Amino acid sequence: MRTIALADGRIKTLIDNVLYPLGARSGDILWPNSEIDIWQRRGPSPPRLGRRPECPRQYDCPVPTRFGLMLKELRLRAGLKQQQLADKSGVAVRTIGRYETRAKSVPKPDTVALLAEALDLTPRQYAELSAAAGFPAQEAEPRPRASRVPHRHGDRLVEAAAQLADEVGSRWRREEEQRKVHSAALPVRWRTSEELSDHWENVDPARAEPMDLDADLEQIVDVYRGVPTGRLVVVGRAGSGKTVLAMRLVLGLLEIRETDGAVPVVVGLESWHPDQDFRTWLAARLLRDHPGLGEELPDGTALAAALVEHGLVLPVLDGFDEIAAGLRSDALGRLDDASRMPLVLTSRADEYREAATAVKPLTGAPCIELADLAPADLAGYLRRTARKTAQGVPLWQPVIDAMREPRTPAGETAAAVLATPLMLVLARTVYGGTANRDPAELLSTADLPTPEAVEAHLMAQLVPAAYRTPIEGRGFDPARARHWLGRLARHLDRLGRHDLAWWELGASLPRGVRALLMALTIGALFTAVDLALVVVRFGFDPLTALATVAVDFGAGAAFGVAHGLLAGRRDTALAPSGMRISLRGPWRRRNLKRRFMIGFAGGFLLGAVSIGVRDIVQGIVYGAGPFDVSALVAFDVPAFGAAVGLATGITYAMLSLWERPLDFQSVPSPADLLKASRRTALAQALVFAPVLAVVVPGTGWAVVQVLQLLPLGEWRWTFEFGLTVGSYAAFMGSVGYAIALTAWGRWLVFGRLWLPLLGRLPWAVPAFLDDAYRRGVLRRAGVVYQFRHARLQSHLSGTRDDQA
């Protein structure tokens, strides 16, 4: 067949309706304005591996590559639709569609191999398809797929990995929609960093020359899959799009994930200390964000740990630069020691360069460095996404004109600031919603003379711009919102982290202050209930009321001390347990002895302190002598402490029998985890109450029976007294446990009572956090919130991060 030259623009219609029915092959077609034509004019050399072919300015590149045309022809010959080919090959249907319709899409060798296998190509056809993709002949052979070592609980692990993949995918798709990534996509590009890449023979022993990984955001999955080690480092300056790239990589890999393939999971590195075992820390982070992985296998291993151990989790480690400066070199070395597991690491360039220079680059990992946005990219984005003026001129036209060559000084400053996706989106947010804001004010050299001044201006205007209109009839005053967000930012700065967890509100307060506030809260609650009952039953008596107040605040003090000891400095013990109480299913008979001992120790402390305070106060109020009070305390403290300890030990052990991990789909957001934690805390309190009501008076009665046999005076135990003691123990023990010793109780005291009372947070904290998320000030990362960017947190906290 002779070569056919196409000169008009309706190329796709002609291919589908004329050429393919006539049996034309893609190699017979000459595209005068296409990349195929460009390759032919340049000579037979195809583009280098991984590089996106660039079109000269005089060509539009309106048609697919030669590979895309050949792929479509082979697919049609096989009688497959794009979705059917995607199902057979494991390549995402969106990726296949991109190959067949876009001039900028170039696949990786592994992708070509998967497609060739699904199309059942002959060796010659496979070689031709590979050549069309621009690969040398020696790379035409498909690489064998690594098989996984079976595990005795392999089926359960595969099932858990599938559930994890579904949950991760649904979370990031919602986040992608919230961030409007696809509404106006930014052309995030990168170049291969030879300096920060490991030796190429460590990356691919079969390759003699360096890999060329230069590409754009749409090709990140292909770039990653083309790295044999499964390790990749992504660096760039602050706001350059590293987190968005990680999100796109995760979603793209999930689309093509095989049944027993690893699940990509984004994890922030800021909380990891090199002294911690990396796999253990990773499993703990998985448990925090996915409580359903707390289920134990028959050998006692948690699902989270088993998935990490058997390579079913691909960690996408975001924020290497957030590790403390003095620990980054050690951290890089520990990541190298993690059995060379596949991973993706993102970092600001200078921080990674410093660590890599001190140690060495991450073994087996090439490095790509995100590039700044070009002026043409800025102009195109601003034109597409902004409204027009009354005269029909794009709102951003003055700024666009100033950034054109030759640039004005103001245009130079604007181009330098808007060169990162973060600042570009902030500028779009600040100037995109109302008619009274003109982006031309960014060109004022008097008010905004430097790039730093422009960036500070955009940061300062983000919150007023985000809060200028209500959402679904709900709104917060911008000034008050700015105050509360600043408090939250300072709270995170004091904790040294970026994860805003509802259960850690108040954790930045000194431990003694937290214990005091908890004691006052519980003491006030006990006093209110106890005084009401005393007055109803006996009438008001000042001495009795004083003794009641002292006893109840003494019990509150005991719970406050227990809270301070349990939480400690790092507050790890009061994180949500990830468990629910269910009477269905088999009992979990693990760690019963340990649970009993923990419960007994805590109950003994609470019982001993409460009864000791009561005896001392009543002795003072009613005029008892020091000897009598001392004798009473010496007897009551061990007896009552043992009674309460026995009850709490039994109850805490019993709770473990009915604990079940939360379902995978039950906690997709921070608010859902809060609700689940509340249900669990209340269920635990309901279990505690009847056990305490029976065991505490029962133990007291048994002690009295023994004392009656001894020559220690007359001891009596009436049913009415036992009922009173049981009711008191049931109420105070269960309520005190739920408030002082659970994550939900801590949230209740600090997040819903004291911090709003002190003006540091609004009363409707969950609604405020969700509203800030929907306005784009906060983002979600699993079951926690984060500020939209670390630079925004730094700005709102009132501190300056010169390296941000």
Side-chain angles (χ1 to χ4, degrees):
M1 185 174 184
R2 293 185 179 181
T3 299
I4 303 172
L6 302 180
D8 62 60
R10 286 172 287 189
I11 296 171
K12 186 177 186 300
T13 302
L14 186 58
I15 294 172
D16 293 339
N17 298 332
V18 179
L19 297 180
Y20 279 118
L22 293 177
R25 300 194 308 272
S26 59
D28 296 326
I29 303 172
L30 175 63
W31 309 101
N33 291 327
S34 70
E35 292 183 8
I36 296 177
D37 184 45
I38 294 167
W39 297 348
Q40 291 172 348
R41 296 184 187 194
R42 292 178 178 174
S45 299
R48 288 182 294 168
L49 172 62
R51 178 178 290 280
R52 180 180 62 82
E54 298 291 344
C55 291
R57 294 172 183 249
Q58 63 266 34
Y59 298 112
D60 286 331
C61 298
V63 296
T65 61
R66 182 170 170 237
F67 169 81
L69 294 172
M70 187 176 294
L71 175 62
K72 182 174 182 179
E73 179 184 2
L74 293 169
R75 177 177 61 79
L76 293 175
R77 286 182 181 179
L80 297 176
K81 297 181 179 180
Q82 288 183 352
Q83 184 61 59
Q84 293 172 322
L85 179 57
D87 294 338
K88 290 186 65 176
S89 65
V91 179
V93 65
R94 182 169 57 185
T95 302
I96 295 173
R98 190 170 68 241
Y99 292 152
E100 294 186 359
T101 58
R102 299 187 187 179
K104 298 181 179 181
S105 292
V106 177
K108 294 297 175 184
D110 289 345
T111 305
V112 178
L114 292 172
L115 292 170
E117 182 180 357
L119 291 169
D120 196 21
L121 300 184
T122 65
R124 180 178 178 180
Q125 288 174 320
Y126 179 71
E128 291 178 352
L129 186 64
S130 296
F135 304 137
Q138 62 267 22
E139 294 198 15
E141 290 300 324
R143 296 176 181 173
R145 177 180 178 272
S147 59
R148 298 193 178 279
V149 178
H151 183 260
R152 58 177 174 166
H153 306 303
D155 292 342
R156 182 66 190 99
L157 292 182
V158 171
E159 179 186 358
Q163 292 175 312
L164 176 62
D166 289 341
E167 186 176 2
V168 170
S170 62
R171 285 184 180 183
W172 282 112
R173 280 190 291 273
R174 285 194 299 269
E175 193 65 20
E176 192 176 48
E177 293 172 1
Q178 170 66 21
R179 300 187 191 188
K180 300 178 176 63
V181 172
H182 288 303
S183 61
L186 285 170
V188 177
R189 302 187 183 94
W190 56 80
R191 63 175 182 83
T192 308
S193 175
E194 297 278 353
E195 174 196 2
L196 300 179
S197 297
D198 191 20
H199 300 292
W200 293 111
E201 53 265 39
N202 293 336
V203 177
D204 186 356
R207 175 178 292 276
E209 72 282 358
M211 298 180 70
D212 186 352
L213 304 177
D214 295 15
D216 58 27
L217 188 61
E218 291 297 320
Q219 296 174 290
I220 181 57
V221 174
D222 290 337
V223 167
Y224 174 73
R225 295 182 71 220
V227 179
T229 59
R231 288 186 155 200
L232 181 66
V233 175
V234 181
V235 299
R237 64 185 181 121
S240 58
K242 298 184 293 293
T243 301
V244 172
L245 182 144
M247 178 175 63
R248 288 302 313 139
L249 175 61
V250 167
L251 290 175
L253 291 175
L254 287 174
E255 288 180 353
I256 61 176
R257 176 183 172 271
E258 298 176 354
T259 303
D260 60 349
V263 181
V265 179
V266 179
V267 184
L269 265 179
E270 62 175 16
S271 64
W272 179 52
H273 193 285
D275 289 343
Q276 297 174 271
D277 178 72
F278 177 73
R279 294 175 183 271
T280 302
W281 170 83
L282 179 59
R285 287 301 303 267
L286 285 176
L287 274 177
R288 188 201 73 173
D289 292 336
H290 308 279
L293 295 177
E295 176 187 339
E296 289 187 357
L297 296 171
D299 60 1
T301 305
L303 270 178
L307 291 175
V308 172
E309 186 64 30
H310 294 281
L312 290 174
V313 173
L314 170 64
V316 180
L317 305 174
D318 192 22
F320 175 80
D321 50 276
E322 300 297 340
I323 298 176
L327 300 176
R328 292 189 196 116
S329 299
D330 291 340
L332 194 58
R334 291 300 298 270
L335 289 176
D336 251 354
D337 295 339
S339 301
R340 305 289 174 87
M341 65 186 302
L343 57 86
V344 178
L345 183 70
T346 75
S347 174
R348 289 184 292 199
D350 291 340
E351 283 79 353
Y352 182 75
R353 180 178 292 105
E354 180 183 357
T357 302
V359 187
K360 64 180 293 294
L362 188 65
T363 300
C367 179
I368 59 177
E369 185 168 7
L370 299 182
D372 288 345
L373 300 175
D377 298 330
L378 300 179
Y381 177 84
L382 294 174
R383 285 196 191 98
R384 293 195 312 271
T385 60
R387 58 184 172 83
K388 295 182 179 180
T389 64
Q391 293 75 28
V393 179
L395 182 68
W396 284 87
Q397 194 60 49
V399 180
I400 295 173
D401 293 339
M403 291 189 296
R404 286 177 176 167
E405 298 291 350
R407 294 177 186 166
T408 65
E412 192 73 36
T413 299
V417 171
L418 302 180
T420 62
L422 171 66
M423 286 299 164
L424 183 58
V425 173
L426 286 187
R428 171 68 182 84
T429 303
V430 169
Y431 293 102
T434 59
N436 60 350
R437 296 302 302 269
D438 186 355
E441 67 186 39
L442 295 177
L443 303 176
S444 173
T445 56
D447 298 330
L448 304 172
T450 63
E452 292 76 16
V454 176
E455 291 179 1
H457 167 74
L458 292 176
M459 288 287 185
Q461 295 301 315
L462 174 62
V463 172
Y467 282 88
R468 59 190 162 206
T469 57
I471 295 180
E472 296 181 356
R474 181 180 63 189
F476 292 89
D477 177 70
R480 297 298 296 164
R482 171 63 178 80
H483 168 74
W484 293 324
L485 290 169
R487 287 287 186 178
L488 291 173
R490 286 188 285 276
H491 158 75
L492 294 178
D493 282 352
R494 283 191 290 270
L495 294 180
R497 63 191 67 166
H498 296 306
D499 289 345
L500 179 57
W502 54 261
W503 62 88
E504 291 182 341
L505 292 177
S508 58
L509 297 172
R511 181 163 51 168
V513 174
R514 278 181 278 148
L516 176 61
L517 295 178
M518 184 64 71
L520 293 175
T521 303
I522 296 178
L525 176 62
F526 286 174
T527 299
V529 175
D530 207 5
L531 274 180
L533 294 177
V534 168
V535 170
V536 168
R537 184 177 179 185
F538 302 108
F540 181 77
D541 177 65
L543 292 179
T544 303
L546 180 61
T548 300
V549 170
V551 169
D552 291 335
F553 272 95
F559 277 106
V561 171
H563 172 85
L565 293 176
L566 181 62
R569 291 184 178 180
R570 301 188 67 177
D571 302 297
T572 54
L574 287 182
S577 65
M579 293 290 178
R580 57 187 175 89
I581 302 299
S582 175
L583 301 181
R584 299 179 181 179
W587 284 4
R588 298 173 65 254
R589 300 179 178 87
R590 299 187 183 279
N591 299 321
L592 293 182
K593 180 179 178 180
R594 179 174 176 271
R595 298 268 300 216
F596 174 81
M597 295 304 298
I598 293 175
F600 180 85
F604 185 90
L605 172 66
L606 296 173
V609 172
S610 299
I611 197 67
V613 171
R614 189 206 69 170
D615 289 346
I616 293 173
V617 170
Q618 287 186 344
I620 295 174
V621 170
Y622 295 110
F627 178 79
D628 295 332
V629 171
S630 300
L632 189 61
V633 168
F635 171 77
D636 277 354
V637 164
F640 194 74
V644 175
L646 181 63
T648 54
I650 292 174
T651 309
Y652 198 51
M654 288 175 56
L655 285 174
S656 68
L657 301 175
W658 300 320
E659 287 180 346
R660 307 286 185 270
L662 293 172
D663 297 331
F664 270 94
Q665 291 78 20
S666 63
V667 286
S669 69
D672 293 312
L673 181 60
L674 174 59
K675 294 176 183 177
S677 297
R678 179 180 61 202
R679 289 193 298 267
T680 299
L682 294 179
Q684 290 173 331
L686 290 177
V687 174
F688 262 108
V691 178
L692 290 170
V694 172
V695 175
V696 171
T699 305
W701 175 84
V703 170
V704 169
Q705 302 309 308
V706 173
L707 292 176
Q708 287 179 345
L709 302 177
L710 302 176
L712 297 175
E714 183 179 358
W715 296 85
R716 291 191 308 163
W717 183 277
T718 64
F719 176 79
E720 182 180 8
F721 180 74
L723 185 62
T724 301
V725 170
S727 301
Y728 188 88
F731 171 75
M732 291 194 172
S734 59
V735 172
Y737 169 81
I739 294 178
L741 304 179
T742 67
W744 173 75
R746 190 237 285 265
W747 148 261
L748 196 65
V749 171
F750 298 113
R752 295 307 301 267
L753 177 62
W754 283 105
L755 293 178
L757 191 64
L758 297 174
R760 299 186 180 184
L761 286 178
W763 289 104
V765 178
F768 174 72
L769 295 178
D770 182 67
D771 184 72
Y773 165 69
R774 298 177 67 180
R775 294 177 186 276
V777 179
L778 299 179
R779 65 188 183 191
R780 285 179 187 168
V783 295
V784 299
Y785 290 103
Q786 294 175 343
F787 279 94
R788 182 172 186 161
H789 194 273
R791 298 183 70 179
L792 178 60
Q793 176 182 324
S794 177
H795 173 80
L796 291 173
S797 69
T799 61
R800 179 175 176 82
D801 184 1
D802 293 330
Q803 298 181 357

